[in-house]
Amino acid sequence: MIRVLLADDEELIRTALAALLDLEEDLSVVAQAADGEAAVTAALAHRPDVAVIDLTMPRRDGFQVATELARALPECAVVILTGQGRPAHLTRALAAGARGYLPKGAPGGALADVIRRVHAGGRYVDPALAADALTIPPCPLTPRELETLRLSGDDAPVAAIARRAHLSPGTVRNYLALAVQKLDAGTRAEALRIARDNGWL
């Protein structure tokens, strides 16, 4: 029996997936979670074989959960389930330790097959996303520039970004200016949009 954790902030999707997986003779949903923090807690408590994690959740996204489980529970294979399907998200998910990456629009039986595959030590990546990932441009920003740009969302003042990032206001201004320049944007809001559209954030 393969023990499965499901984490998705949309209750209807989570409970429907649980019902679907429980129809499989070799799969058992042992825990569910509605946010990323609860997913990590549930995984540590129930020690599932496979964790199916939604990419966008409150209190830790799928990337953060995959990273934490790879560190704290390496025997648990992570499958990222996403409605966004951006190629850059695929590369980030794999870098975070995910062994599977599946769009929510996949056929009904696909998730059970992917769970079995990653539990057996394999990997699964949606073929269309894998093909798209080969053609995306690499992110030109450094991790610090990306993080500073992410913190600038909602038009946050430089002083507030500096406090959150533990940097000086001058350093924050430099990072933001470099991000705008490298992305050939007119404003930091436009740079943020470009980074999000490309899946770098």
Side-chain angles (χ1 to χ4, degrees):
M1 187 67 73
I2 302 172
R3 296 162 48 82
V4 180
L5 161 72
L6 285 176
D8 195 309
D9 59 327
E10 296 181 56
E11 184 177 0
L12 183 61
I13 291 175
R14 189 177 69 249
T15 54
L17 286 175
L20 187 68
L21 293 177
D22 277 336
L23 295 174
E24 302 288 333
E25 292 182 0
D26 59 338
L27 303 181
S28 173
V29 176
V30 296
Q32 297 183 39
D35 63 60
E37 195 68 41
V40 172
T41 301
L44 295 175
H46 295 274
R47 307 188 78 79
D49 301 307
V50 178
V52 178
I53 309 293
D54 184 27
L55 181 61
T56 54
M57 292 186 295
R59 300 179 65 212
R60 290 198 193 190
D61 61 24
F63 303 125
Q64 294 167 317
V65 173
T67 300
E68 180 60 20
L69 292 185
R71 184 194 66 76
L73 200 64
E75 64 274 20
C76 175
V78 173
V79 174
I80 297 286
L81 197 59
T82 178
Q84 297 180 344
R86 293 183 178 150
H89 288 164
L90 165 61
T91 55
R92 283 183 65 197
L94 295 177
R99 299 195 60 81
Y101 192 85
L102 186 69
K104 287 184 177 178
L111 180 58
D113 292 339
V114 170
I115 289 170
R116 292 183 187 103
R117 183 180 297 196
V118 301
H119 179 254
R123 290 183 180 270
Y124 178 84
V125 172
D126 178 73
L129 282 176
D132 289 345
L134 295 173
T135 62
I136 60 166
C139 178
L141 305 183
T142 67
R144 274 297 205 172
E145 290 162 357
L146 268 177
E147 177 64 9
T148 306
L149 190 60
R150 185 186 67 75
L151 292 173
S152 76
D154 302 322
D155 208 26
V158 168
I161 299 168
R163 278 194 304 277
R164 280 184 268 170
H166 307 291
L167 298 169
S168 72
T171 302
V172 168
R173 282 190 203 91
N174 289 342
Y175 282 146
L176 291 174
L178 284 168
V180 168
Q181 178 186 359
K182 287 181 180 180
L183 297 180
D184 198 23
T187 64
R188 81 178 190 194
E190 186 183 353
L192 185 61
R193 181 190 56 75
I194 292 169
R196 284 181 173 153
D197 288 349
N198 280 285
W200 298 326
L201 285 176

